[in-house]
Coordinates of all heavy atoms in Angstrom, one line a residue:
M21 N 16.0 -67.7 189.6 CA 15.3 -68.7 190.4 C 14.1 -68.0 191.1 O 13.0 -68.5 191.1 CB 16.2 -69.3 191.4 CG 17.4 -70.1 190.9 SD 17.0 -71.5 190.0 CE 16.3 -72.6 191.1
F22 N 14.3 -66.8 191.6 CA 13.3 -66.0 192.2 C 12.5 -65.2 191.2 O 13.1 -64.7 190.2 CB 13.9 -65.1 193.3 CG 14.6 -65.7 194.4 CD1 16.0 -65.9 194.5 CD2 13.9 -66.3 195.5 CE1 16.6 -66.5 195.5 CE2 14.5 -66.9 196.5 CZ 15.9 -67.0 196.5
T23 N 11.3 -64.9 191.6 CA 10.6 -63.9 190.8 C 11.2 -62.5 191.1 O 11.9 -62.3 192.0 CB 9.1 -63.8 191.1 OG1 8.9 -63.3 192.5 CG2 8.4 -65.2 190.9
V24 N 10.8 -61.5 190.3 CA 11.3 -60.2 190.5 C 10.9 -59.7 191.9 O 11.7 -59.1 192.6 CB 10.8 -59.3 189.4 CG1 11.2 -57.8 189.6 CG2 11.4 -59.8 187.9
S25 N 9.7 -59.8 192.2 CA 9.2 -59.3 193.4 C 9.9 -60.0 194.7 O 10.2 -59.4 195.7 CB 7.7 -59.4 193.6 OG 7.2 -60.7 193.5
E26 N 10.1 -61.3 194.5 CA 10.8 -62.1 195.6 C 12.2 -61.6 195.8 O 12.7 -61.3 197.0 CB 10.7 -63.6 195.4 CG 9.4 -64.2 195.4 CD 9.3 -65.6 194.8 OE1 10.2 -66.0 194.1 OE2 8.3 -66.3 195.1
Y27 N 12.9 -61.4 194.7 CA 14.3 -61.0 194.7 C 14.5 -59.5 195.2 O 15.3 -59.2 196.1 CB 15.1 -61.1 193.5 CG 16.6 -61.0 193.7 CD1 17.3 -62.1 194.0 CD2 17.2 -59.9 193.5 CE1 18.6 -62.0 194.3 CE2 18.6 -59.7 193.7 CZ 19.2 -60.8 194.1 OH 20.6 -60.6 194.3
L28 N 13.4 -58.8 194.8 CA 13.5 -57.4 195.4 C 13.3 -57.3 196.8 O 13.8 -56.5 197.6 CB 12.4 -56.5 194.6 CG 12.8 -55.9 193.3 CD1 11.7 -55.2 192.6 CD2 14.1 -55.0 193.5
A29 N 12.4 -58.1 197.3 CA 12.1 -58.2 198.7 C 13.4 -58.6 199.5 O 13.7 -57.9 200.5 CB 11.1 -59.2 199.1
L30 N 14.2 -59.5 199.0 CA 15.5 -59.9 199.5 C 16.5 -58.8 199.4 O 17.2 -58.4 200.4 CB 16.0 -61.1 198.8 CG 15.4 -62.5 199.0 CD1 15.8 -63.5 198.1 CD2 15.6 -62.9 200.5
Y31 N 16.6 -58.1 198.2 CA 17.5 -57.0 198.1 C 17.2 -55.9 199.0 O 18.1 -55.4 199.7 CB 17.4 -56.5 196.6 CG 18.2 -55.3 196.3 CD1 19.5 -55.4 196.0 CD2 17.6 -54.1 196.3 CE1 20.3 -54.2 195.8 CE2 18.4 -52.9 196.1 CZ 19.8 -53.0 195.8 OH 20.5 -51.8 195.6
N32 N 15.9 -55.5 199.0 CA 15.4 -54.3 199.9 C 15.7 -54.7 201.4 O 16.2 -53.9 202.1 CB 14.0 -54.0 199.6 CG 13.8 -53.3 198.3 OD1 14.7 -52.7 197.8 ND2 12.6 -53.5 197.8
G33 N 15.5 -55.9 201.8 CA 15.7 -56.3 203.1 C 17.2 -56.4 203.5 O 17.6 -56.0 204.6
T34 N 18.0 -56.7 202.5 CA 19.4 -56.7 202.7 C 20.0 -55.3 202.8 O 20.9 -55.1 203.8 CB 20.2 -57.4 201.6 OG1 19.6 -58.8 201.4 CG2 21.6 -57.5 201.7
F35 N 19.7 -54.5 202.1 CA 20.4 -53.2 201.9 C 19.5 -52.0 202.5 O 19.9 -50.9 202.4 CB 20.7 -52.9 200.5 CG 21.7 -53.8 200.0 CD1 21.4 -54.9 199.1 CD2 23.1 -53.9 200.3 CE1 22.3 -55.7 198.6 CE2 24.0 -54.7 199.9 CZ 23.6 -55.7 199.0
G36 N 18.3 -52.3 203.0 CA 17.5 -51.3 203.5 C 16.9 -50.3 202.5 O 16.8 -49.1 202.7
K37 N 16.7 -50.8 201.3 CA 16.2 -50.0 200.2 C 14.6 -50.1 200.1 O 14.1 -51.1 200.8 CB 16.8 -50.5 198.9 CG 18.4 -50.4 198.9 CD 18.8 -49.0 198.7 CE 20.3 -48.9 198.6 NZ 20.8 -47.7 198.3
T38 N 14.0 -49.4 199.2 CA 12.6 -49.5 198.9 C 12.3 -49.6 197.4 O 11.4 -49.1 197.0 CB 11.9 -48.3 199.5 OG1 12.4 -47.2 198.9 CG2 11.9 -48.3 201.0
L39 N 13.3 -50.3 196.7 CA 13.1 -50.3 195.3 C 11.9 -51.2 194.9 O 11.6 -52.2 195.6 CB 14.4 -51.1 194.7 CG 14.8 -51.0 193.3 CD1 15.0 -49.5 192.9 CD2 16.1 -51.8 193.0
K40 N 11.2 -50.7 193.8 CA 10.0 -51.5 193.3 C 10.2 -51.9 191.9 O 11.1 -51.4 191.2 CB 8.9 -50.4 193.4 CG 8.5 -50.0 194.8 CD 7.3 -49.0 194.9 CE 6.9 -48.6 196.2 NZ 7.7 -47.7 196.9
E41 N 9.4 -52.9 191.5 CA 9.5 -53.4 190.2 C 9.4 -52.3 189.1 O 10.1 -52.3 188.1 CB 8.4 -54.4 189.9 CG 8.7 -55.7 190.6 CD 7.6 -56.9 190.1 OE1 7.6 -57.2 188.9 OE2 7.0 -57.4 191.0
Q42 N 8.5 -51.4 189.3 CA 8.3 -50.2 188.4 C 9.5 -49.4 188.2 O 9.7 -48.7 187.3 CB 7.1 -49.4 188.6 CG 6.9 -48.8 189.9 CD 6.2 -49.6 190.9 OE1 6.2 -50.9 190.9 NE2 5.6 -48.9 191.8
D43 N 10.5 -49.4 189.2 CA 11.7 -48.7 189.0 C 12.7 -49.3 188.1 O 13.8 -48.6 187.7 CB 12.4 -48.7 190.4 CG 11.5 -47.9 191.5 OD1 10.8 -47.0 191.1 OD2 11.6 -48.3 192.7
L44 N 12.4 -50.6 187.8 CA 13.4 -51.3 186.9 C 12.9 -51.3 185.5 O 11.8 -51.4 185.1 CB 13.6 -52.8 187.5 CG 13.8 -52.9 188.9 CD1 13.9 -54.4 189.3 CD2 15.2 -52.2 189.2
Q45 N 13.9 -51.4 184.6 CA 13.8 -51.4 183.1 C 14.3 -52.7 182.6 O 15.4 -53.2 183.0 CB 14.4 -50.3 182.4 CG 13.9 -49.0 183.0 CD 12.7 -48.4 182.1 OE1 12.6 -48.7 180.9 NE2 11.9 -47.6 182.7
G46 N 13.7 -53.3 181.6 CA 14.3 -54.5 180.9 C 13.7 -55.7 181.2 O 12.8 -55.8 182.1
V47 N 14.2 -56.7 180.5 CA 13.7 -58.1 180.7 C 14.9 -59.1 181.1 O 14.7 -60.3 181.1 CB 12.9 -58.7 179.6 CG1 11.6 -57.8 179.4 CG2 13.6 -58.7 178.3
D48 N 16.1 -58.5 181.2 CA 17.3 -59.3 181.5 C 17.2 -59.8 182.9 O 16.2 -59.5 183.7 CB 18.5 -58.7 181.1 CG 18.6 -57.2 181.7 OD1 17.6 -56.6 182.1 OD2 19.7 -56.6 181.7
R49 N 18.3 -60.3 183.5 CA 18.4 -60.8 184.7 C 18.1 -59.7 185.8 O 18.5 -58.6 185.6 CB 19.8 -61.3 185.1 CG 20.1 -62.6 184.3 CD 21.5 -63.1 184.5 NE 21.8 -63.2 185.9 CZ 23.0 -62.9 186.5 NH1 24.0 -62.5 185.8 NH2 23.2 -63.1 187.8
I50 N 17.4 -60.0 186.8 CA 17.0 -59.0 187.8 C 18.2 -58.3 188.4 O 18.1 -57.1 188.7 CB 16.1 -59.7 188.9 CG1 15.6 -58.7 190.0 CG2 16.8 -60.8 189.6 CD1 14.7 -57.6 189.5
V51 N 19.3 -59.0 188.7 CA 20.4 -58.3 189.3 C 21.0 -57.3 188.3 O 21.4 -56.2 188.7 CB 21.6 -59.4 189.7 CG1 21.1 -60.2 190.9 CG2 22.1 -60.1 188.6
K52 N 21.0 -57.5 187.1 CA 21.4 -56.5 186.1 C 20.5 -55.3 186.0 O 20.9 -54.2 186.0 CB 21.5 -57.1 184.6 CG 22.5 -58.1 184.5 CD 23.9 -57.6 184.8 CE 25.0 -58.7 184.6 NZ 26.4 -58.2 185.2
R53 N 19.1 -55.5 186.1 CA 18.2 -54.4 186.3 C 18.4 -53.6 187.5 O 18.4 -52.4 187.4 CB 16.7 -55.0 186.2 CG 16.4 -55.6 184.8 CD 14.9 -56.0 184.7 NE 14.9 -57.4 184.8 CZ 13.8 -58.1 185.0 NH1 12.7 -57.5 185.1 NH2 13.9 -59.5 185.0
I54 N 18.6 -54.3 188.5 CA 18.9 -53.6 189.8 C 20.2 -52.7 189.7 O 20.2 -51.6 190.1 CB 19.0 -54.4 191.0 CG1 17.6 -55.1 191.3 CG2 19.5 -53.7 192.3 CD1 17.6 -56.2 192.3
E55 N 21.3 -53.3 189.2 CA 22.6 -52.6 189.0 C 22.4 -51.4 188.1 O 23.2 -50.4 188.3 CB 23.6 -53.6 188.5 CG 24.1 -54.6 189.5 CD 25.0 -55.6 189.0 OE1 25.2 -55.7 187.8 OE2 25.7 -56.3 189.9
R56 N 21.6 -51.4 187.1 CA 21.4 -50.2 186.3 C 20.8 -49.1 187.1 O 21.1 -47.9 186.8 CB 20.5 -50.5 185.0 CG 21.2 -51.2 183.9 CD 20.4 -51.2 182.6 NE 19.2 -51.9 182.7 CZ 19.1 -53.2 182.4 NH1 20.1 -53.9 182.2 NH2 17.9 -53.8 182.5
V57 N 20.1 -49.3 188.1 CA 19.4 -48.3 188.9 C 20.3 -48.0 190.1 O 20.4 -46.8 190.5 CB 18.0 -48.7 189.3 CG1 17.4 -47.7 190.3 CG2 17.1 -48.9 188.2
Q58 N 20.8 -49.0 190.8 CA 21.5 -48.8 192.1 C 23.0 -49.0 192.1 O 23.7 -48.6 193.0 CB 20.9 -49.8 193.1 CG 19.5 -49.7 193.4 CD 19.2 -48.5 194.2 OE1 19.8 -48.2 195.3 NE2 18.1 -47.8 193.8
G59 N 23.5 -49.5 190.9 CA 24.9 -49.7 190.8 C 25.2 -51.1 191.4 O 24.4 -51.8 191.8
K60 N 26.4 -51.5 191.2 CA 26.9 -52.9 191.5 C 26.7 -53.2 193.0 O 26.8 -52.2 193.8 CB 28.3 -53.2 191.1 CG 28.6 -53.1 189.6 CD 29.5 -54.2 189.2 CE 29.7 -54.2 187.8 NZ 29.2 -55.3 187.1
F61 N 26.3 -54.4 193.3 CA 26.2 -54.7 194.8 C 26.6 -56.2 194.9 O 26.8 -56.9 194.0 CB 24.6 -54.6 195.2 CG 23.7 -55.5 194.5 CD1 23.3 -56.7 195.1 CD2 23.2 -55.1 193.2 CE1 22.4 -57.5 194.3 CE2 22.3 -56.0 192.5 CZ 21.8 -57.2 193.1
D62 N 26.8 -56.4 196.2 CA 27.3 -57.8 196.5 C 26.1 -58.7 196.6 O 25.4 -58.8 197.6 CB 28.0 -57.7 197.9 CG 28.6 -59.0 198.4 OD1 28.4 -60.1 197.7 OD2 29.4 -59.0 199.4
H63 N 26.1 -59.7 195.6 CA 25.0 -60.7 195.5 C 25.1 -61.7 196.8 O 24.1 -62.1 197.2 CB 25.1 -61.4 194.3 CG 25.1 -60.5 193.0 ND1 25.3 -61.0 191.8 CD2 24.9 -59.2 192.9 CE1 25.3 -60.1 190.9 NE2 25.0 -59.0 191.6
G64 N 26.3 -61.8 197.2 CA 26.5 -62.7 198.4 C 25.9 -62.2 199.7 O 25.4 -63.1 200.4
R65 N 25.8 -61.0 199.8 CA 25.1 -60.3 200.9 C 23.6 -60.7 200.9 O 23.0 -60.9 201.9 CB 25.3 -58.9 201.1 CG 26.7 -58.5 201.6 CD 26.9 -57.1 201.8 NE 25.9 -56.5 202.7 CZ 25.7 -55.2 203.0 NH1 26.4 -54.3 202.3 NH2 24.8 -54.8 203.9
V66 N 23.0 -60.7 199.7 CA 21.7 -61.0 199.6 C 21.4 -62.4 199.9 O 20.5 -62.8 200.6 CB 21.1 -60.7 198.1 CG1 19.7 -61.1 197.9 CG2 21.3 -59.2 197.7
A67 N 22.3 -63.4 199.4 CA 22.1 -64.8 199.7 C 22.4 -65.0 201.2 O 21.5 -65.8 201.8 CB 23.2 -65.5 199.0
A68 N 23.2 -64.4 201.8 CA 23.4 -64.5 203.3 C 22.2 -64.0 204.1 O 21.8 -64.6 205.0 CB 24.7 -63.7 203.7
H69 N 21.6 -62.9 203.6 CA 20.4 -62.3 204.3 C 19.2 -63.3 204.2 O 18.6 -63.6 205.2 CB 20.1 -61.1 203.6 CG 18.8 -60.4 204.2 ND1 18.8 -59.7 205.4 CD2 17.6 -60.3 203.7 CE1 17.6 -59.2 205.6 NE2 16.8 -59.6 204.6
F70 N 19.2 -63.9 203.0 CA 18.1 -65.0 202.8 C 18.3 -66.2 203.7 O 17.4 -66.6 204.4 CB 18.1 -65.5 201.3 CG 17.2 -66.5 201.0 CD1 15.8 -66.4 201.1 CD2 17.7 -67.8 200.7 CE1 14.9 -67.4 200.9 CE2 16.8 -68.8 200.5 CZ 15.4 -68.6 200.4
L71 N 19.6 -66.6 203.8 CA 19.8 -67.8 204.7 C 19.6 -67.4 206.2 O 19.1 -68.3 206.9 CB 21.3 -68.3 204.5 CG 21.5 -68.9 203.2 CD1 23.0 -69.3 203.0 CD2 20.7 -70.2 203.0
Q72 N 20.0 -66.2 206.6 CA 19.8 -65.8 208.0 C 18.3 -65.5 208.3 O 18.0 -65.4 209.5 CB 20.6 -64.5 208.3 CG 22.2 -64.8 208.2 CD 22.9 -63.6 208.2 OE1 22.4 -62.5 208.1 NE2 24.3 -63.7 208.3
N73 N 17.5 -65.3 207.4 CA 16.0 -64.9 207.6 C 15.1 -65.8 206.8 O 14.0 -65.4 206.3 CB 15.8 -63.5 207.1 CG 16.7 -62.4 207.9 OD1 16.3 -62.1 209.0 ND2 17.9 -62.1 207.4
Q74 N 15.4 -67.1 206.7 CA 14.6 -68.0 206.0 C 13.2 -68.2 206.5 O 12.3 -68.3 205.8 CB 15.2 -69.5 206.2 CG 16.5 -69.6 205.4 CD 17.1 -71.0 205.6 OE1 16.4 -72.0 205.4 NE2 18.4 -71.1 206.0
G75 N 13.0 -67.9 207.8 CA 11.7 -68.0 208.4 C 10.7 -67.0 207.9 O 9.6 -67.1 207.9
V76 N 11.3 -65.9 207.5 CA 10.6 -64.7 206.9 C 10.3 -64.9 205.4 O 9.2 -64.7 205.0 CB 11.3 -63.4 207.1 CG1 10.6 -62.2 206.4 CG2 11.5 -63.1 208.7
Y77 N 11.3 -65.3 204.7 CA 11.2 -65.4 203.3 C 10.7 -66.6 202.6 O 10.0 -66.6 201.7 CB 12.5 -65.1 202.6 CG 13.1 -63.6 202.9 CD1 14.0 -63.4 203.7 CD2 12.4 -62.6 202.2 CE1 14.4 -62.1 204.0 CE2 12.8 -61.3 202.4 CZ 13.8 -61.0 203.4 OH 14.2 -59.7 203.7
L78 N 11.0 -67.8 203.3 CA 10.5 -69.1 202.7 C 8.9 -69.2 202.6 O 8.5 -69.6 201.5 CB 11.0 -70.3 203.5 CG 12.5 -70.6 203.3 CD1 12.9 -71.8 204.2 CD2 12.8 -71.0 201.8
P79 N 8.2 -68.8 203.6 CA 6.7 -68.8 203.5 C 6.2 -67.9 202.4 O 5.1 -68.1 201.9 CB 6.3 -68.4 204.8 CG 7.4 -68.6 205.8 CD 8.6 -68.3 204.9
A80 N 6.9 -66.9 202.0 CA 6.5 -66.0 201.0 C 6.8 -66.4 199.5 O 6.3 -65.8 198.6 CB 7.1 -64.7 201.2
L81 N 7.6 -67.5 199.4 CA 8.0 -67.9 198.0 C 6.8 -68.6 197.3 O 6.0 -69.4 197.9 CB 9.2 -68.9 198.1 CG 10.5 -68.3 198.6 CD1 11.6 -69.4 198.7 CD2 10.9 -67.1 197.8
G82 N 6.7 -68.3 196.0 CA 5.6 -68.8 195.3 C 5.9 -70.3 194.9 O 7.0 -70.7 194.9
V83 N 4.9 -70.9 194.4 CA 5.0 -72.3 194.1 C 6.0 -72.5 192.9 O 6.8 -73.5 192.9 CB 3.5 -72.9 193.6 CG1 3.7 -74.3 193.1 CG2 2.7 -72.9 194.8
D84 N 6.0 -71.6 191.9 CA 6.9 -71.7 190.8 C 8.3 -71.6 191.2 O 9.2 -72.3 190.6 CB 6.6 -70.7 189.7 CG 5.2 -70.9 189.0 OD1 4.7 -72.1 189.0 OD2 4.7 -69.9 188.5
T85 N 8.6 -70.7 192.1 CA 10.0 -70.6 192.6 C 10.4 -71.8 193.4 O 11.5 -72.3 193.0 CB 10.0 -69.4 193.6 OG1 9.7 -68.2 192.9 CG2 11.4 -69.2 194.1
I86 N 9.6 -72.3 194.2 CA 10.0 -73.6 194.9 C 10.2 -74.7 193.9 O 11.1 -75.5 194.0 CB 8.9 -74.0 195.9 CG1 8.9 -72.9 197.0 CG2 9.1 -75.3 196.5 CD1 7.8 -72.9 198.0
D87 N 9.4 -74.8 192.8 CA 9.5 -75.8 191.8 C 10.9 -75.7 191.1 O 11.5 -76.7 190.8 CB 8.3 -75.7 190.8 CG 8.4 -76.9 189.8 OD1 8.4 -78.0 190.3 OD2 8.3 -76.6 188.7
R88 N 11.3 -74.4 190.7 CA 12.6 -74.2 190.1 C 13.7 -74.6 191.0 O 14.6 -75.3 190.5 CB 12.7 -72.7 189.8 CG 11.9 -72.3 188.5 CD 12.2 -70.9 188.0 NE 11.8 -69.9 189.0 CZ 10.7 -69.3 189.0 NH1 9.7 -69.7 188.1 NH2 10.4 -68.3 189.9
F89 N 13.6 -74.4 192.2 CA 14.7 -74.8 193.2 C 14.7 -76.4 193.2 O 15.8 -77.0 193.3 CB 14.6 -74.2 194.5 CG 15.1 -72.8 194.6 CD1 14.4 -71.7 194.6 CD2 16.5 -72.7 194.9 CE1 15.0 -70.4 194.8 CE2 17.2 -71.4 195.0 CZ 16.3 -70.3 194.8
D90 N 13.6 -76.9 193.4 CA 13.4 -78.4 193.4 C 14.1 -79.0 192.2 O 14.8 -80.1 192.3 CB 12.0 -78.8 193.6 CG 11.7 -80.3 193.8 OD1 12.4 -80.8 194.7 OD2 10.9 -80.9 193.1
K91 N 13.7 -78.5 191.1 CA 14.3 -79.1 189.8 C 15.9 -78.9 189.8 O 16.6 -79.8 189.3 CB 13.6 -78.4 188.6 CG 12.3 -78.9 188.3 CD 11.6 -78.3 187.2 CE 10.2 -78.7 187.0 NZ 9.5 -78.0 186.0
L92 N 16.4 -77.8 190.3 CA 17.8 -77.6 190.3 C 18.5 -78.5 191.2 O 19.5 -79.1 190.9 CB 18.1 -76.1 190.7 CG 19.6 -75.8 191.0 CD1 20.4 -75.9 189.7 CD2 19.7 -74.4 191.6
I93 N 18.0 -78.7 192.4 CA 18.5 -79.6 193.4 C 18.5 -81.0 192.8 O 19.5 -81.8 193.0 CB 17.8 -79.5 194.7 CG1 18.1 -78.2 195.3 CG2 18.2 -80.7 195.7 CD1 17.3 -77.8 196.5
A94 N 17.4 -81.4 192.1 CA 17.3 -82.8 191.6 C 18.4 -83.0 190.5 O 19.0 -84.1 190.5 CB 15.9 -83.0 191.0
A95 N 18.6 -81.9 189.7 CA 19.6 -82.0 188.6 C 21.0 -82.1 189.2 O 21.8 -82.9 188.7 CB 19.5 -81.0 187.7
L96 N 21.2 -81.3 190.3 CA 22.6 -81.4 190.9 C 22.8 -82.7 191.6 O 23.9 -83.2 191.5 CB 22.7 -80.3 191.9 CG 22.8 -78.9 191.4 CD1 22.7 -77.9 192.5 CD2 24.1 -78.6 190.6
T97 N 21.8 -83.3 192.2 CA 21.9 -84.6 192.9 C 22.2 -85.7 191.8 O 23.0 -86.5 192.0 CB 20.6 -84.8 193.6 OG1 20.4 -83.9 194.6 CG2 20.8 -86.2 194.4
K98 N 21.5 -85.6 190.8 CA 21.7 -86.6 189.7 C 23.1 -86.5 189.0 O 23.7 -87.5 188.6 CB 20.7 -86.4 188.5 CG 20.6 -87.4 187.4 CD 19.5 -87.1 186.5 CE 19.6 -88.2 185.4 NZ 18.5 -88.0 184.4
A99 N 23.7 -85.3 189.0 CA 25.0 -85.1 188.4 C 26.1 -85.5 189.3 O 27.2 -85.7 188.9 CB 25.2 -83.6 188.0
L100 N 25.9 -85.8 190.6 CA 26.9 -86.2 191.5 C 27.3 -87.6 191.3 O 26.5 -88.5 190.9 CB 26.4 -86.1 193.0 CG 26.1 -84.6 193.4 CD1 25.5 -84.7 194.9 CD2 27.5 -83.9 193.6
P101 N 28.6 -87.9 191.4 CA 29.0 -89.3 191.2 C 28.5 -90.2 192.4 O 28.3 -89.6 193.5 CB 30.5 -89.2 191.3 CG 30.9 -87.9 192.0 CD 29.7 -87.0 191.8
E102 N 28.4 -91.4 192.1 CA 27.8 -92.3 193.1 C 28.9 -92.8 194.0 O 30.0 -92.9 193.8 CB 27.1 -93.5 192.4 CG 25.8 -93.0 191.7 CD 25.0 -94.2 191.1 OE1 25.0 -95.2 191.7 OE2 24.4 -93.9 190.1

């Protein structure tokens, strides 16, 4: 859902790291690219950090990221029983 740079900002903010896009290899999921460099990590901590710091991260999200979230929420809402 997030761009690489957006997720890295969340990851770095969560774990106090300074990982950069150029540190990562591949085109697979960003979490897999991070795990190859840093090892396994708790994705839930990144989500919790995002929720606790929405005021910092939401304004920095790109239009494409917001659009992807909007489409996901619309699809989930449509799938709910009436």
Side-chain angles (χ1 to χ4, degrees):
M21 301 295 294
F22 295 101
T23 65
V24 173
S25 61
E26 291 166 345
Y27 194 83
L28 276 176
L30 289 167
Y31 173 83
N32 288 334
T34 301
F35 297 105
K37 303 283 186 175
T38 57
L39 198 59
K40 296 180 176 76
E41 282 188 61
Q42 57 265 32
D43 298 328
L44 306 177
Q45 303 266 334
V47 294
D48 51 344
R49 292 179 52 219
I50 181 64
V51 294
K52 294 297 181 189
R53 289 184 255 171
I54 293 171
E55 285 178 345
R56 280 196 294 275
V57 175
Q58 298 289 312
K60 294 224 180 243
F61 65 96
D62 183 352
H63 307 170
R65 284 186 60 192
V66 177
H69 179 77
F70 175 66
L71 290 173
Q72 292 168 350
N73 297 280
Q74 291 178 49
V76 172
Y77 293 105
L78 284 177
L81 295 180
V83 173
D84 291 340
T85 299
I86 293 170
D87 187 51
R88 284 189 293 274
F89 274 101
D90 186 47
K91 288 177 181 175
L92 174 64
I93 291 167
L96 289 171
T97 301
K98 186 177 179 181
L100 291 173
E102 293 186 30

